[in-house]
Amino acid sequence: MSAPIPVVLFVYARTTHLVRVLACLRENRVPLLEVFADGPKGDADAARVAEVRALLRAIDWCEVRLVERSVNLGLGRNILAGVTEVADRHEAFIVWEDDLIAVPGTYDWVAAVLRRYANDDRVMSVTAWTHPRVTPAGIGAAPYFDGRAECWVWGTWARSWRGMKEENACTKLRAAARRGRARDAYGADLPAMADVEERQNIWAVRWLYHHLQHGGLCVRPPWSMVEHIGFDASATNAQMATAWVNPPLRTAPSPTGPWPDAVEHADCRRLWRNANPSGWKARLPQLKSIGRAVVRRLVPAGWRRRLRRISRPPAYRGEFAGWPAARAASRGYDDAVILDKTVQAARAVRDGLATWERDTVLFQAPEANVRLLEALRAAAAAEGGDLRVLDFGGALGSTWWQHRFWLEDLRAVRWSVVEQPALVAAGQREFTRGPVRYFASVGACWAAEQPPTVLLSSVLPYLEDPHALLRDLGRRPFRRIIIDRTGFTARGRDRLTVQQVPPEIYDASYPCWFFDRAGLLADLGPDWRIVSEWRNDDHVDIAAEHRGLVLERRPAPVGPVPCI
């Protein structure tokens, strides 16, 4: 495949979007554009269609072949006709719509995949898009193979496109079923889209069932290179896509590989079914939203506030003289309910049912603790690109799972969790994968990993003697300590309370410290200094606040200090 691989660009009437897309394509050094400009629907959009075409005619940074439709075909028919026309002239091509942008290097990576698998009939397409909800865990920096194809910046060969015009999605669905592929094998959204394909003039579901009909595979990158910029009032068929918000885009993978053998990853079907469930699970978010709307409409705001105060007692109560008294007034952190909920939440993240969890609460959309993430990346930069962390009290690696999409580009990551025996046993049994390992003590972790960085995220408040732990850590040869989501009081002395967990999380309570900041930091000794500090958003219903800090060991003096 020595000929340039063209980008087939489909446009309509969105000038603002197209300007960004063309800048992206130019930055990607695309050599040839095959552009299909759909016609206006009437006088109302004729001027905008003309503006789009003027932009296209002004391109001077690559070769352009422009087809200007005289009538409006709509998105589905325009793409089916345009790709079929290009497939008659080119062996391979990349398809791009006018509301998709991608990082530099995306074109090179997709083109490299098309060249690498050109003669492998098992592979029918490649895409530059994936998402945390459907990306298998532990794939590292290598692409993977999925039985479900994609329509966001994708490439294929003329050989794979044959038969797309002759059969609609429902016909292909039935053909796939004869091969043993259930209608919803890759999500309940597919058969629903197939039923309305021609009526709504959509096309991608036909391409997806075309893969299932022929048993073909789609190459997906280890992380997404594509962002959708068209989720607004001018978008076509994108109402539900806002649920698939990307993490911040990362640098494109190397166009030199690695290139695995064409075998579908075993987790793909399960991840797609979890992301697009059927039955009542699919309607649960909508039902919850309707229920909240009904309550807001029928119950006055004042009554709602009173009900919240009655139903949710203060999160922190009391002031106890010592740990035994606070422990006697609570159920304790080692309650079996907490362990069970923690394991269940970690399984949901591991299995793709959620993107991350915190304190057993599941979240679907990627979200970073920005200041903590900055501290972790700074720690890696200080170690030459390697991130080696002792995560004390890190449960089953929840901080890593939350931030993994922003850390996987580092040269190397070793995430060592030090926890209670029951959690260590669960971690070693079910969750030791990728960079995460589990240890029963700081000493055991240091002997195995020698991590230069310690993370104390929302853990010091729940220790019987946090001051002893800090004194111990300060004497060990760590180079930096990151403290996050830790409560501080302005009273000049520590305060020991009992925290009541909201019942929607689990029915539990445990002792909780709020610290005198100066006293806590004094435990580390004079060799440590604060290099950054921030305030957390965690709500506290007493006179205190949660903060985060990064501390580094002061460099040792070099040689004797001269007397003057």
Side-chain angles (χ1 to χ4, degrees):
M1 294 179 60
S2 57
I5 296 176
V7 165
V8 190
L9 177 62
F10 292 91
V11 303
Y12 172 45
R14 292 192 281 179
T15 310
T16 303
H17 296 77
L18 183 58
V19 168
R20 294 183 62 187
V21 172
L22 291 178
C24 164
L25 293 170
R26 182 174 187 174
E27 193 173 23
N28 269 273
R29 303 188 307 276
V30 172
L32 172 60
L33 279 176
E34 297 261 8
V35 187
F36 293 86
D38 207 2
K41 296 177 181 177
D43 294 339
D45 61 357
R48 290 185 291 117
V49 168
E51 290 175 0
V52 162
R53 295 180 180 186
L55 278 176
L56 296 167
R57 296 191 200 103
I59 294 173
D60 60 1
W61 42 267
C62 76
E63 182 182 355
V64 179
R65 297 173 185 168
L66 175 59
V67 175
E68 299 181 357
R69 306 285 193 200
S70 59
V71 298
N72 183 269
L73 298 182
L75 181 65
R77 285 188 288 272
N78 192 25
I79 288 181
L80 287 171
V83 173
T84 300
E85 182 179 333
V86 172
D88 290 337
R89 299 195 306 268
H90 294 277
E91 183 181 352
F93 45 87
I94 300 167
V95 181
W96 211 296
E97 295 181 38
D98 65 350
D99 49 11
L100 299 171
I101 59 174
V103 298
T106 298
Y107 173 84
D108 290 340
W109 186 84
V110 176
V113 173
L114 289 172
R115 293 188 174 98
R116 169 61 179 81
Y117 295 101
N119 299 314
D120 191 333
D121 290 341
R122 295 172 296 178
V123 184
M124 290 182 64
S125 68
V126 55
T127 178
W129 184 88
T130 188
H131 191 275
R133 294 174 67 185
V134 294
T135 303
I139 61 172
Y144 68 100
F145 291 88
D146 190 351
R148 175 165 167 154
E150 193 50 62
C151 60
W152 284 11
V153 182
W154 55 280
T156 191
W157 303 267
R159 62 169 170 82
S160 300
W161 189 256
R162 294 188 191 104
M164 270 292 290
K165 287 274 287 188
E166 288 73 22
E167 298 174 331
N168 63 19
C170 286
T171 301
K172 292 181 177 298
L173 181 157
R174 291 189 290 270
R178 290 193 293 271
R179 291 182 60 95
R181 292 285 195 265
R183 289 167 52 92
D184 60 349
Y186 290 83
D189 59 324
L190 294 190
M193 286 190 293
D195 290 340
V196 300
E197 177 207 13
E198 294 181 315
R199 184 167 66 253
Q200 294 188 4
N201 193 12
I202 58 178
W203 69 275
V205 65
R206 185 185 303 193
W207 182 231
L208 273 56
Y209 273 119
H210 188 63
H211 280 61
L212 300 179
Q213 174 187 14
H214 297 285
L217 297 174
C218 174
V219 185
R220 289 188 183 270
W223 53 81
S224 184
M225 295 169 265
V226 178
E227 188 61 82
H228 201 299
I229 60 172
F231 295 151
D232 55 29
S234 64
T236 301
N237 301 322
Q239 293 91 335
M240 296 303 295
T242 52
W244 293 83
V245 177
N246 273 316
L249 298 184
R250 295 165 52 180
T251 304
S254 170
T256 61
W259 306 121
D261 190 38
V263 177
E264 182 178 11
H265 196 286
D267 291 346
C268 285
R269 291 192 209 181
R270 173 181 52 78
L271 291 171
W272 280 111
R273 288 197 302 270
N274 291 340
N276 296 286
S278 59
W280 66 269
K281 291 182 180 179
R283 299 183 62 83
L284 187 58
Q286 181 182 7
L287 293 174
K288 288 182 177 178
S289 178
I290 293 172
R292 287 192 293 268
V294 169
V295 170
R296 285 194 298 269
R297 179 180 291 272
L298 298 180
V299 181
W303 279 104
R304 293 201 303 270
R305 287 192 294 270
R306 292 187 186 96
L307 289 172
R308 280 195 295 268
R309 285 196 295 269
I310 294 170
S311 62
R312 180 173 295 180
Y316 304 94
R317 56 182 172 83
E319 184 168 0
F320 296 86
W323 191 265
R327 180 67 182 86
S330 63
R331 295 179 60 169
Y333 189 74
D334 56 353
D335 193 292
V337 173
I338 302 175
L339 174 63
D340 182 59
K341 290 274 289 186
T342 300
V343 172
Q344 289 183 33
R347 286 173 180 159
V349 176
R350 179 198 64 190
D351 296 340
L353 297 173
T355 301
W356 61 285
E357 62 86 18
R358 187 172 74 185
D359 300 332
T360 77
V361 178
L362 301 177
F363 299 87
Q364 297 299 331
E367 180 183 340
N369 178 336
V370 175
R371 296 302 301 272
L372 175 57
L373 178 61
E374 290 173 349
L376 292 169
R377 292 193 67 90
E383 302 296 333
D386 293 351
L387 180 63
R388 291 181 292 132
V389 175
L390 187 160
D391 183 3
F392 190 93
L396 291 169
S398 56
T399 301
W400 158 252
W401 282 99
Q402 178 183 355
H403 296 92
R404 64 192 185 278
F405 311 114
W406 294 277
L407 298 175
E408 287 179 338
D409 64 321
L410 298 175
R411 187 175 69 177
V413 179
R414 297 289 287 181
W415 197 278
S416 305
V417 177
V418 174
E419 258 294 357
Q420 303 174 64
L423 283 171
V424 171
Q428 293 175 345
R429 183 177 63 248
E430 296 188 49
F431 302 101
T432 299
R433 57 173 58 191
V436 185
R437 300 293 183 272
Y438 298 88
F439 298 90
S441 68
V442 173
C445 176
W446 177 262
E449 301 290 345
Q450 291 85 49
T453 301
V454 175
L455 174 61
L456 303 169
S457 179
S458 191
V459 62
L460 291 174
Y462 306 107
L463 301 178
E464 181 172 1
D465 193 348
H467 297 282
L469 173 68
L470 278 180
R471 289 192 293 269
D472 178 58
L473 294 175
R475 290 191 294 265
R476 293 178 182 266
F478 299 111
R479 290 193 278 276
R480 68 194 55 81
I481 296 174
I482 303 171
I483 298 174
D484 193 39
R485 297 180 62 215
T486 297
F488 292 97
T489 176
R491 300 172 57 177
R493 57 186 175 85
D494 293 349
R495 176 179 175 178
L496 180 58
T497 70
V498 167
Q499 180 179 354
Q500 179 63 52
V501 180
E504 61 266 25
I505 297 179
Y506 43 65
D507 184 17
S509 60
Y510 29 71
C512 178
W513 290 101
F514 286 85
F515 299 104
D516 169 55
R517 180 176 176 278
L520 188 75
L521 299 180
D523 293 326
L524 290 172
D527 292 342
W528 292 85
R529 62 188 179 95
I530 298 174
V531 295
S532 65
E533 187 169 359
W534 60 89
R535 181 175 179 177
N536 296 123
D537 294 331
D538 302 58
H539 173 70
V540 183
D541 57 7
I542 62 174
E545 65 178 8
H546 281 101
R547 300 191 69 82
L549 308 95
V550 178
L551 302 107
E552 290 184 353
R553 187 180 296 278
R554 300 179 190 273
V558 179
V561 178
C563 297
I564 299 177

